[in-house]
Amino acid sequence: MSELLLEVIALDARDAHAAQEGGAHRLELVSDMAADGLTPAVATARRVLAATDLPVRAMLRDDAGFAPWSLDQLRAEAIALRDVGVTEFVLGWLTEAGSIDIDTCRAVIDELDGCKFTFHRALDNSAEPLAAWSDVVALGADTVLAAGSGKGVADGLPVLRELAARQETDGVTVMAGGGLQAEHVPGLRADGVRWFHVGSAVRPGGWDYPVEADAVAKWIELISESLV
């Protein structure tokens, strides 16, 4: 596991360029943050890949919530994004009972042909996040984006602490995100969290405005200072 990683949500090439300029280590490429992030358009992905040499993880999610609208569409989107050069992804679905939807996840993962992927905050919204972790590990995710609670990091700190303790044994890295605030970072670092994910925190004007490089740089500085 890398000692430090800051992942920034990007909506377009302008965001990607600013995130890289500010020192981000990786991008999560999404569309439609009003729905908490859906699959980006293929054309957008192509432009983002041309605008940055950072690793780009593209979201695979076709509806708000954590149930798929169309499994066939998700599989087709995965193939189309791979065809334009995307090699890393973000995904995750739940059953109606709130457990990890293993069948849907595996059907989409099969289209990735070994690409690395993050299991996103579906884990936080599962009936039992700590129990769901084992299912996510078995699916082959190398990263889990988690707040520890569907309500966000402030409510999920005890769960994040437990997940961080499982990282080395299970070979999956916890990336803290979802209502993450600067004040959370020192405690999370002390608990063993090394990777962080931000979106609105690097858009001082809100989601209607682009990522600002200076805001990204401040987060890099904050996380680096917390190592001491």
Side-chain angles (χ1 to χ4, degrees):
M1 180 177 66
S2 171
E3 183 60 28
L4 171 67
L5 183 141
L6 181 69
E7 181 179 88
V8 172
I9 296 174
L11 299 176
D12 53 30
R14 180 179 178 180
D15 284 347
H17 178 77
Q20 180 163 340
E21 184 180 356
H25 303 98
R26 192 166 79 191
L27 304 176
E28 181 189 73
L29 178 60
V30 307
S31 66
D32 196 358
M33 283 306 300
D36 292 327
L38 302 181
T39 304
V42 168
T44 301
R46 186 184 293 112
R47 288 191 292 269
V48 166
L49 291 172
T52 181
D53 55 13
L54 292 179
V56 176
R57 294 209 168 188
M59 179 66 73
L60 291 171
R61 186 165 176 253
D62 64 352
D63 201 8
F66 299 102
W69 180 75
S70 168
L71 181 55
D72 287 342
Q73 176 177 312
L74 286 165
R75 295 170 70 178
E77 288 173 343
I79 293 168
L81 287 166
R82 286 186 59 214
D83 284 347
V84 298
V86 176
T87 60
E88 303 181 32
F89 292 88
V90 184
L91 57 86
W93 295 277
L94 302 176
T95 66
E96 289 185 4
S99 60
I100 304 300
D101 188 340
I102 300 295
D103 290 343
T104 295
C105 290
R106 287 201 182 281
V108 177
I109 291 166
D110 284 348
E111 303 294 351
L112 305 187
D113 194 27
C115 291
K116 296 178 181 178
F117 69 92
T118 297
F119 194 93
H120 60 51
R121 294 192 58 211
L123 182 89
D124 294 331
N125 290 271
S126 65
E128 297 182 47
L130 293 177
W133 170 268
S134 297
D135 289 333
V136 172
V137 171
L139 286 170
D142 71 343
T143 307
V144 174
L145 169 60
S149 165
K151 296 179 180 179
V153 170
D155 289 276
L157 291 172
V159 172
L160 280 175
R161 185 176 300 116
E162 176 61 30
L163 295 179
R166 302 182 184 187
Q167 295 179 104
E168 297 298 336
T169 299
D170 294 332
V172 178
T173 302
V174 173
M175 181 168 58
L180 180 68
Q181 301 294 323
E183 65 202 53
H184 299 138
V185 172
L188 288 168
R189 289 308 316 270
D191 291 336
V193 176
R194 299 290 183 268
W195 291 11
F196 298 87
H197 170 96
V198 292
S200 60
V202 293
R203 299 169 185 268
W207 284 109
D208 291 333
Y209 295 85
V211 169
E212 292 190 7
D214 288 347
V216 175
K218 288 178 181 177
W219 269 88
I220 291 290
E221 182 180 3
L222 168 67
I223 295 169
S224 299
E225 288 177 346
S226 71
L227 294 172
V228 180

